[in-house]
Every structure is written in C-alpha cells, then in structure tokens.
Amino acid sequence: MVKAFFASMTFSAALLGCAQTEAPNPPPAEEESESQASLTTSTKWLVQPGARLVLLGVTSDNHALYQEGELVYATALKPGATRQRVAQVPFGNTAFVYTVGKVAFCWTNPDRTLPGFGVSPLVVWSAASGPHEASAASPIGTFATSASADGRSVLFPTHGNADGSVGDVELASIDMSERTTLLGAVPMGFPLGYCRPFAAFVGRYGRSHPVALHCEGATSSATLSSWERGERVDLLSGVATPPFFSADADGGSFFTTLAGSGHPVVVSDDGEVSALDEVRSRIGFFTKGSFVVYTAQTEAGLELRRAKPGDCPSTETIADEVGGILTVLAGSKVITDAWASPDGSKVPFFTQRDPATGLSDVALADARDGTPPLSVDPQARNVLGGPPFSADSKHFLFARIVDLTAGTAPLFASAEGGVRQFSDDGGWSYLPAVRGLVSFNDNTHFDAEDFARSTADLKVVDLSRKPLKPRVIAPGANLTYFSSHGGRRLAFTTDLPGTTAGLYSAGVGE
C-alpha cells in the first residue's frame, strides 16, 4: 500500500494485564504438530467462499477477520473451517480492525472522513472467547489499544464523548466479565491530540501488564503509570507531550522524554530514572543488548545516538544530518515492537524529505558496532511499502516512486550485493516471510469506482538467490493481504473470473 504509507513512514517531533498472583516462567516455544506443519507447505486452498470479501486482519494464532456485506466474520485459516459471526456493520461502511497478538479489536462504524476515524461501537474477538461487545462509544485510538501476551486481557478506549476528545481507558478480561477503569475522563483526541493516552500491555507471559502515559485534567505534561500488580503505580511525572514512550522486550524499562528540557530518560518498572543525555529528544527505542537508540537535537541538527542506560551512560552518534526515522509501526505496537531490524543491527532513517510528496532518501544506521551509516538511495523518491527488513535482516526493503500519478512503485531490496528491483513497475506492497523470502504484489490495477476491488498479482521471491525468480501465488488477487503461520503462509481474497471467489490461504514455499 505505497500511498497509504506516506503518512506513517516517519516519527519526528510531530509524532503523531490483570493482576498476577504468580509470575510463571514463560512457556516453552510451541512445537508444530504434524497437522500444523502441513499448514506451512506451499499448498493453496480455499478457506471461505464468497464474492467481494474484504480482508480486515489476521491474528497471531492464524485467524482471519473479513467483511461480507454488512457482516464481519472470523475464521481459522485452514481447510473446512467454520466461520463465526463477529459484528454487524452499518450499510455502506467498512469495519476497522486492529489486531494485537491473538486478539482483534473491531470498530464497526468508523468515520473515515476524520483523521482518527471518530467514535464507534467496539467489538473484541479472540478464537478462545468469541465476540464480545466492549463499548458503545469507543474513540478509535489504537495508540491505547492492546492485549496481554496470553490474549486473556485487553485494554481499550471507551465512554468517549461525541467528538472523541475525552474518554476512559478500560482494562477488561477478554470475555468482558471483569472490567476496570484505569483512566477516567482523560484527554484523548486521537490521533493528534496533544495529550492523547499512549498505552499498551508490556512484558511477556506472567509479566504482561498495562502501562500508560497520560494526562489528567488541565495538566500540560504527562504521567507514566503501571498496573503490574493490579494497583496503579506512577513511575514518572512531568513527561513531555504529545505522549511517547517505548518499552524493552521484558517490559521492565521504558524510554521517554521530560517536559521542558526534552531530555531523554529511561525509567525502570520500580520508578528509578536514569538520564541518557542532555539534549532535546523525542523518539527512542530499545535494541538488542539493552541499548537505546534515540533522536538528539543539537545546534548542528538532528542526530541518531546510542546509549546504554546506567549510572554513567556512554553515548555515541550513529548518524548525523538526520531528518527522521523510517518506520511503519502504528498504534500500541510503536511501544512494544522492534523499530530496528530483527537482529537489532540496523535502523532506517532519512536525511531529506520532499514536503510536497512525503518522499525521502533512504539510509541505514548501524545500531550495533558504530559502523558509519549507509546511504541506500540519496534521492528523495522513496517510501516504505511494508516492514523495512526481511526476516533474516539481510535485506532492506523499500519502494521507489517513479510516477506520482500512477499510485504504484517498483519495489527494491538493498543488501551487501547492492540494490535490486524485485517487482515490476506496478508494485504495491510487501511483507517479509521467513529468512530471505518476501511476499509482495505487483501488476496492480485500480478500480476507479471501488478501491477495495483493485487487484494485483500476489507473489513470493527469495532475495537470497541470484537471479531473482518471483513465483506467482495468485494472479489478480485483491490488494489487501496478510501473512500468517509465522510468515510461512499468506491470507488473501480474490474475485478473479474463472476462479472460485473467496478467502484463500497459501504457503510461501521454502
């Protein structure tokens, strides 16, 4: 979705669980059963028949949500699955779905004329619990919508006023039998409100719990609060607005910046504050090895710096002349998911951006050993068309706009051997699969009357091979598709004449 990523490609200065009686050890990684393993082969099958299906999302436990007419359904991505009705949607509208792990949040009546889609009824669904009405008036705020690691608890905005400027943030069990208001009558105004709440479940398994950065009343600064043991503990007050924080993988440390000075700090889950630097900052995130990469505003301009929190943190500049960080992360995943490459070594950024088009140059900073930054393309003609790295971290992925009127772009991968185009010139979007495999769609044809009916050829390419030989998964499939089964399969819909219309699942091939 090349054009769709223009607005979400950068985060700059204008950046957009229940109490545990025990803290059990994380469960061991699940082994695939024989039947599960068979789902990751290169076979393709029809999951649910139906014409003009709109694919809305896929959960981490391999269930798809889609809309048919005015009804939203959920289905396991396997042959012979029985679909389940999730929600009713007003005539002429399309539900908005946000997935976090095993849970899908389905707002049934979004107002797509508004930047944040307004206020809507909300239904929460998981395979374990089915659908449950969560709110009659939920401000559509994915920045404060999340699910626990085990999928048993959820966090979401509710009780919004008519314009969505004020509301509550509620913690609930997945079946809505237990509900607690964590934050009452707080400023919202998603997505650009100066004090909208920023909240997520952080940590793994037994430590998965809510943390929120929020304003109360007429205050101009924010407070970082945690509910690790069911009771609210304020970890830090006087935090800069609009709110931003990120968490490490274990949910025990948080990056944010101070009001007034803008200095970057790391806060522990017991409220200990460690200063990182004495510069103005806005964005920062944790990488492997407990390092923090953050923006630093200096007299010479914006830099990317790296530091390791501690009593005497040592800082180093890993890129100067920075315009911003490139990312497609959105919602509460900004807090919890990795900003760098999967191996933690590379951070994509730009130095210049065309204000008229949103296009930029693309470059990579080294977050691991201080190697000088790599310029991938110095011209301001690029955009992210999906997550920026292959699963093995060896390939940086991006789209290059050669014709602004076309709405499509050739897709490229940069690696040690140089930059290679892997789509035709009618590329649209891509998703990393496993290792060096990447799925993508090209040969795009837009439907002028109904964009949802636009089509493209869905393909897979192994970027580790020479020459590149993309394999067609589905010609003329509908544009929106998702990955599943740990990147080994794809979910897509098609109405291609001569085929059975419906929702399909296909393996990427290994």
Side-chain angles (χ1 to χ4, degrees), residues 58-304:
V58 171
T59 61
S60 65
D61 56 353
N62 309 314
H63 289 78
L65 281 85
Y66 67 94
Q67 185 167 330
E68 182 176 17
E70 284 79 56
L71 294 176
V72 176
Y73 294 96
T75 180
L77 287 169
K78 60 183 181 181
T82 300
R83 68 181 185 177
Q84 181 181 48
R85 176 173 167 171
V86 174
Q88 176 89 35
V89 178
F91 176 77
N93 207 343
T94 301
F96 174 70
V97 168
Y98 178 63
T99 61
V100 181
K102 301 175 183 178
V103 178
F105 299 86
C106 178
W107 285 275
T108 58
N109 193 24
D111 184 347
R112 296 178 186 272
T113 66
L114 300 175
F117 294 174
V119 178
S120 163
L122 170 65
V123 174
V124 175
W125 181 90
S126 75
S129 70
H132 293 276
E133 294 184 8
S135 175
S138 172
I140 302 179
T142 57
F143 284 137
T145 301
S146 188
S148 59
D150 60 11
R152 296 178 180 177
S153 301
V154 290
L155 187 70
F156 54 88
T158 186
H159 301 138
N161 60 355
D163 64 2
S165 61
V166 177
D168 300 343
V169 175
E170 191 166 277
L171 170 68
S173 58
I174 188 65
D175 62 1
M176 298 296 144
S177 62
E178 299 179 16
R179 306 176 68 139
T180 302
T181 298
L182 298 186
L183 301 170
V186 294
M188 291 203 168
F190 297 107
L192 302 175
Y194 85 97
C195 242
R196 71 218 179 287
F198 220 57
F201 276 88
V202 304
R204 305 169 181 173
Y205 306 107
R207 291 204 64 187
S208 184
H209 64 282
V211 173
L213 187 56
H214 57 97
C215 297
E216 295 181 326
T219 59
S220 59
S221 62
T223 298
L224 183 67
S225 302
S226 173
W227 289 263
E228 184 169 3
R229 296 170 183 84
E231 297 294 331
R232 172 175 163 175
V233 176
D234 291 342
L235 303 179
L236 180 66
S237 59
V239 178
T241 55
F244 175 90
F245 79 98
S246 60
D248 68 0
D250 292 327
S253 295
F254 313 99
F255 169 93
T256 192
T257 57
L258 301 178
S261 69
H263 291 174
V265 296
V266 168
V267 188
S268 70
D269 56 1
D270 59 7
E272 181 179 349
V273 180
S274 300
L276 287 180
D277 210 334
E278 293 185 351
V279 293
R280 295 195 70 86
S281 183
R282 181 71 184 107
I283 305 301
F285 49 90
F286 294 84
T287 64
K288 292 185 176 180
S290 300
F291 285 95
V292 178
V293 172
Y294 57 96
T295 57
Q297 185 65 58
T298 70
E299 291 184 359
L302 193 67
E303 297 179 354
L304 281 182

Side-chain angles (χ1 to χ4, degrees), residues 322-488:
V322 173
I325 300 170
L326 291 165
T327 184
V328 294
L329 291 177
S332 59
K333 296 171 186 177
V334 167
I335 301 169
T336 58
D337 289 12
W339 288 59
S341 56
D343 65 1
S345 67
K346 304 178 185 73
V347 178
F349 70 98
F350 67 94
T351 66
Q352 58 175 320
R353 183 173 60 182
D354 185 333
T357 64
L359 301 177
S360 74
D361 64 336
V362 285
L364 297 174
D366 193 311
R368 187 163 53 190
D369 57 20
T371 300
L374 171 67
S375 175
V376 176
D377 184 353
Q379 298 187 49
R381 56 181 179 176
N382 307 289
V383 67
L384 297 184
F389 294 98
S390 58
D392 60 10
S393 301
K394 294 180 179 179
H395 308 274
F396 171 63
L397 313 173
F398 63 99
R400 181 176 293 163
I401 305 295
V402 294
D403 182 356
L404 285 169
T405 63
T408 56
L411 309 176
F412 289 84
S414 173
E416 288 185 358
V419 176
R420 294 191 292 174
Q421 181 175 335
F422 62 86
S423 75
D424 66 20
D425 287 346
W428 179 248
S429 64
Y430 54 78
L431 289 173
V434 292
R435 297 186 299 278
L437 292 173
V438 172
S439 63
F440 66 98
N441 45 17
D442 64 7
N443 187 30
T444 305
H445 295 276
F446 296 111
D447 187 317
E449 296 182 356
D450 185 357
F451 182 80
R453 303 275 69 81
S454 300
T455 64
D457 295 343
L458 181 58
K459 302 177 180 179
V460 171
V461 64
D462 188 344
L463 296 176
S464 66
R465 295 188 176 182
K466 296 180 182 180
L468 297 176
K469 293 182 178 180
R471 178 170 61 89
V472 178
I473 297 290
N478 295 322
L479 277 184
T480 300
Y481 77 97
F482 294 90
S483 63
S484 67
H485 296 83
R488 291 178 171 84

